[in-house]
Amino acid sequence: MASVQVRYIVDDVDAAIAFYIGRLGFALVMHPAPAFAMLSRGDLRLVLSAPNAAGGGGQAMPDGTKPTPGGWNRFAIEVDDIDAMVATLRAAGARFRNDIVTGVGGKQILLEDPSGNPVELFQPLREEARLKPPA
C-alpha cells in the first residue's frame, strides 16, 4: 500500500496512464472520471489530474489561475478532518491558495509553506483513495 502521494497535473490523463503503466511499471488504482486517475508503484501513489473546471485537484484557483503541468506538482498529506485542520491552521496564520474543494476521491486544499510551495491536505471520501487503512 502507498505511503507517499504525489499529484501531477497532466494535459491528457489517458496518455499519462498509458505512459506510467506501460513505461514505468505503475498499476492503475482507479480512474473514475476522465480528468482523474490514481496509480501506484510500491510506496508511491501518483494522482493524475487534468485541468478541470468541474472541481477537484485540477480546478482553477479563486483568482482564476489555472493549474498547468509542471507548476502545480505537490505532495499530499492525508488528514482525518480537513475542516478542523484548516480552521486550526488559519487561526495560526497559515496561507492557503484556495478553499476546500471536493473531487471524485476526496476533499483537498492547498496550503502554502513559508516559501509559497504548495502542500495538499487531503481527506479521502472513498476507501480506495486512502493512503492507509483506518486505525
Side-chain angles (χ1 to χ4, degrees):
M1 178 167 284
S3 60
V4 175
Q5 176 172 301
V6 174
R7 180 183 304 269
Y8 277 174
I9 302 298
V10 297
D11 293 319
D12 182 332
V13 172
D14 290 328
I17 290 170
F19 173 80
Y20 283 104
I21 290 174
R23 306 277 181 179
L24 299 177
F26 280 74
L28 182 66
V29 174
M30 69 172 170
H31 185 30
F36 179 80
M38 279 187 181
L39 309 178
S40 67
R41 185 174 190 266
D43 285 336
L44 174 63
R45 176 187 292 160
L46 180 60
V47 177
L48 304 171
S49 293
N52 180 7
Q59 182 172 306
M61 297 294 103
D63 69 356
T65 303
K66 295 181 181 178
T68 58
W72 289 84
N73 299 331
R74 65 234 186 214
F75 66 91
I77 298 171
E78 184 174 317
V79 299
D80 293 327
D81 185 343
I82 197 168
D83 296 299
M85 184 166 214
V86 168
T88 299
L89 288 165
R90 282 193 198 280
R95 295 178 312 196
F96 292 88
R97 290 189 178 182
N98 62 330
D99 293 321
I100 296 170
V101 297
T102 301
V104 295
K107 294 178 171 183
Q108 64 250 344
I109 191 168
L110 294 181
L111 167 70
E112 287 190 344
D113 74 10
S115 298
N117 296 309
V119 175
E120 180 177 318
L121 303 179
F122 176 74
Q123 180 182 346
L125 297 177
R126 299 169 63 130
E127 282 305 310
E128 63 268 34
R130 293 192 175 282
L131 291 174
K132 292 190 244 179

